[in-house]
Amino acid sequence: MSAQERLTDALYGLGWGTVKKLPEPVAVRLGRTVADVAWRQNGKGVRRLASNYARVVPDASPQCLAELTRAGMRSYLRYWMESFRLPAWSAERVRGGFAPKDVHYLTDGLAAGKGVILALPHLANWDLAGAWVTTELRTPFTTVAERLKPETLYDRFVAYREGLGMEVLPHSGGTAFGTLARRLRDGGLVCLVADRDLSASGVTVDFFGAEARMPAGPALLAQQTGALLLPVTLWYDDSPVMRGRVHPPVEVPESGTRAEKTSSMTQALADAFATGIAEHPEDWHMLQRLWLADLDPARDPVRDPAKGPS
């Protein structure tokens, strides 16, 4: 393990060990302070966030884009402060911390015994939404986690999410899809963050007027198992309660090849995600490259010529 990896692991450990013990108002102020410092420093992650927001709000002036990015960093740190504190929240606090609309799509789907896939982008706090599902609806679910370095940091995230009632599978290894399919055929629930492809074999979609790549997994699972595919979007307001919406089901097209059906369904997910992101862009925590044009070093607006591609 490198020195940088040891430092990263130690910082996350400090967050889960210390921040959860802070009074909530203190944690809120801390998160906002850290966010503002990071925004002023304008590092690569902040510049990437601003670049992504520029695609979502193309008519924003430089001043409006800067303020949006500041709000985005504050939302991002709110996510982290909440996540560090979630293991210490009471069941009552979890139930009261999230107020989603149109949950009947989820509960009706589960009652029908078909299995349900919830697909969502990196909006607000998806971990809190998951904790609400396991606590308020008393419904366990299975999800997938990206392999992180160092391995000890990945283990921390798995333990954290398992502590919230989730079954966590590693993204790599090739066995996750089969396990997810079995859970769905048994009438279970699968939740997937699905706005960024980690496999390099995703589906190209139109996203805010430009090509991006999103994972094919949700659409393929729905086709293979007959499970209901539901987009979900989340957002914060000025209250301590996170808001959310379960969107209507993405239907499997009646005709076409599997690839054509997968493309159509993934585009429908992208459109639902875009609706939620456009309404609350500051709550979209995308500090990585997403659009295909940004994957080209010569066209990437965040590229630092002295350092090479970001």
Side-chain angles (χ1 to χ4, degrees), residues 157-179:
F157 272 95
V158 169
Y160 157 64
R161 290 184 170 128
E162 288 180 341
L164 299 176
M166 312 175 192
E167 179 188 21
V168 183
L169 307 176
H171 182 271
S172 59
T175 62
F177 188 91
T179 302

Side-chain angles (χ1 to χ4, degrees), residues 286-300:
M286 184 55 66
L287 281 73
Q288 296 83 23
R289 290 178 289 181
L290 180 72
W291 280 272
L292 299 190
D294 296 341
L295 299 175
D296 178 355
R299 301 167 65 189
D300 183 2

Side-chain angles (χ1 to χ4, degrees), residues 227-256:
L228 202 63
L229 176 55
L230 300 175
V232 177
T233 53
L234 310 170
W235 66 93
Y236 291 127
D237 57 19
D238 294 331
S239 77
V241 179
M242 184 177 71
R243 311 294 171 175
R245 176 190 174 195
V246 182
H247 295 251
V250 172
E251 303 290 347
V252 178
E254 294 183 0
S255 62

Side-chain angles (χ1 to χ4, degrees), residues 24 28 78 82 85-86 88-98 128 131-132 135 239-242:
E24 190 157 344
V28 170
R78 175 173 172 175
E82 288 180 347
R85 294 172 55 76
L86 261 176
W89 281 15
S90 66
E92 182 179 0
R93 178 71 178 87
V94 171
R95 293 188 189 102
F98 182 38
L128 172 55
W132 185 88
T135 304
S239 77
V241 179
M242 184 177 71

